[in-house]
Amino acid sequence: MPSQAPLLLRHHRPFIAFWLARIFTASGFQMLTVAIGWNLYQLTGNVLDLGLVGLVEFAPRVLFMLHTGHVADRYDRRKIAAICQTLQALIALALAIGSATDNVTREMIFLLAFLLGAARSFEMPTTQALLPSIVPAALFPRAVAAAQSAQQSATIVAPALGGLLYAFGSVWVYGPTVLLYVIACCLMLNLPARQTPLNKGKATLDSLLAGIRFIRSRPDILGAISLDLFAVLLGGATALLPVFAKDILLTGPWGLGLLRSAPAVGALLMSLWLARFAVERKVGRVMFTAVGVFGVATIAFGLSTSFWFSLAVLVVLGAADMISMVIRASFVQLETPDEMRGRVSAVNGLFIGASNQLGEFESGLTAHWFGTVPAVVMGGVGTLLVTGAWIKLFPTLANRDRMHEPVDEAKA
């Protein structure tokens, strides 16, 4: 049976369409962010503006958190995703026209960055909630891993491609990005219609908060989501990579590029492995072990003075993070009723975004207080302490055997 499952996934046409749409929209976003960053820095020469763009893109996720999940549960998810991708295509088109006519301004970029963040804040929980409805439950963990392989492939290839195209002018990045989003939109609209009834309830405060209440009522889901929040918050060292590259590992921009790509390479390789050989038993133990490896790899990176060893450790770090992410995403979606998946995914997405954004701030703050190396080492130690604490706080999660309980499978 395990040897047949990947074959079934490869021949599952709705998933193939979803996977391709994921490739195109992730590649479009990566190329778009590279071009926006270069374009803005050319206009202003202000490093602070680059940080503000990231903050502006993240703000809609907080502002619309409760509404994004409700929209994903109430309306056709295919159409919501397609609308979001269309909006992103229009943003890229506006930048292409502005670049061609030399009318791109700082204010224009900030406005479009906010709209881009708003589109993605609705798209992410919608697509996460959409995936369980287009693949059988038995194939879902492999589908999550395969979908993540698309994301990681885009993370590795698309920024380099965007930088290469930008050498010919920003229009050469914005123009192809429009096409990528349009293709993704068409693929989304061709997915099968939702089989479960739509939630026709009104957007009351009670319904908007239902996702938060549901997570609080399920200790395993709460434990997994909060574990990711605190582990990544403390263990994230990517914000300090320029310092390590220049002052500790004594390399140049090419070395920094390799260091930034290394976690994505590890994540991609692991996602391809998990798409073929899914974790089916002792998932709680495997997940906590992966988070522990993530913490150890963070400490090893902080103490390393060898460029190639640091590169290898970051590959391991990315692979460990992917194991945790696939297990967490799989059982959270499988344990959540379809009518609640949008709202739960919206809360989960906020936790992930907050851990990444606040993690960069935490790394910078502790590096300022204690130094770069101590900051990273303390972050790794903090991740290990959180892992141990969460094993005690959420014993059923640590001892979880399967993605979804046999009782639920019998009912299904």
Side-chain angles (χ1 to χ4, degrees), residues 79-120:
K79 294 180 180 178
I80 297 301
I83 290 172
C84 294
Q85 289 154 3
T86 300
L87 176 58
Q88 291 171 84
L90 292 175
I91 291 169
L93 180 61
L95 287 166
I97 295 173
S99 297
T101 58
D102 199 24
N103 284 320
V104 175
T105 64
R106 176 179 180 272
E107 290 72 22
M108 175 184 178
I109 289 178
F110 278 116
L111 174 61
L112 293 179
F114 180 85
L115 294 176
L116 179 64
R120 285 177 56 79

Side-chain angles (χ1 to χ4, degrees), residues 64-75:
F64 305 132
M65 180 195 73
L66 297 176
H67 298 281
T68 55
H70 187 83
V71 167
D73 288 334
R74 187 177 185 186
Y75 301 102

Side-chain angles (χ1 to χ4, degrees), residues 162 220 290:
D220 284 6

Side-chain angles (χ1 to χ4, degrees), residues 89-293:
L90 292 175
I91 291 169
L93 180 61
L95 287 166
I97 295 173
S99 297
T101 58
D102 199 24
N103 284 320
V104 175
T105 64
R106 176 179 180 272
E107 290 72 22
M108 175 184 178
I109 289 178
F110 278 116
L111 174 61
L112 293 179
F114 180 85
L115 294 176
L116 179 64
R120 285 177 56 79
S121 69
F122 281 90
E123 180 190 18
M124 291 176 66
T126 300
T127 53
Q128 288 176 4
L130 180 63
L131 182 56
S133 66
I134 62 175
V135 295
L139 292 179
F140 185 66
R142 291 183 171 89
V144 171
Q148 282 301 312
S149 73
Q151 181 73 33
Q152 297 303 325
S153 298
T155 301
I156 295 170
V157 176
L161 178 59
L164 179 64
L165 291 175
Y166 199 94
F168 300 98
S170 56
V171 176
W172 289 90
V173 185
Y174 296 134
T177 300
V178 175
L179 181 61
L180 290 174
Y181 279 121
V182 170
I183 295 174
C185 175
C186 294
L187 289 168
M188 277 292 173
L189 290 175
N190 280 297
L191 292 177
R194 187 174 180 178
Q195 299 300 313
T196 56
L198 295 174
N199 177 11
K200 296 296 185 179
K202 294 183 179 180
T204 62
L205 180 61
D206 184 68
S207 68
L208 294 175
L209 294 174
I212 297 175
R213 288 199 302 271
F214 178 83
I215 291 173
R216 290 182 60 188
S217 70
R218 302 295 179 96
D220 284 6
I221 296 178
L222 175 62
I225 293 176
S226 57
L227 174 66
D228 175 73
L229 170 63
F230 289 105
V232 175
L233 176 66
L234 295 173
T238 55
L240 301 177
L241 286 181
V243 183
F244 274 91
K246 183 177 183 295
D247 298 333
I248 298 174
L249 303 177
L250 305 178
T251 185
W254 67 273
L256 175 59
L258 290 177
L259 290 172
R260 285 195 175 277
S261 298
V265 170
L268 173 61
L269 294 175
M270 182 54 67
S271 66
L272 293 174
W273 174 268
L274 293 174
R276 179 67 178 84
F277 303 102
V279 179
E280 297 178 345
R281 302 300 299 270
K282 299 180 179 178
V283 295
R285 184 179 302 176
V286 172
M287 183 180 69
F288 276 102
T289 300
V291 177
V293 171

Side-chain angles (χ1 to χ4, degrees), residues 225-240 291 294 298 321 350-366 375-376 378-384 386 390:
I225 293 176
S226 57
L227 174 66
D228 175 73
L229 170 63
F230 289 105
V232 175
L233 176 66
L234 295 173
T238 55
L240 301 177
V291 177
F294 179 89
T298 300
D321 188 43
L350 179 65
F351 273 49
I352 293 172
S355 65
N356 292 328
Q357 299 290 332
L358 294 180
E360 293 183 1
F361 175 74
E362 180 271 339
S363 296
L365 190 61
T366 53
V376 173
M378 286 190 298
V381 172
T383 296
L384 295 178
V386 167
W390 257 237

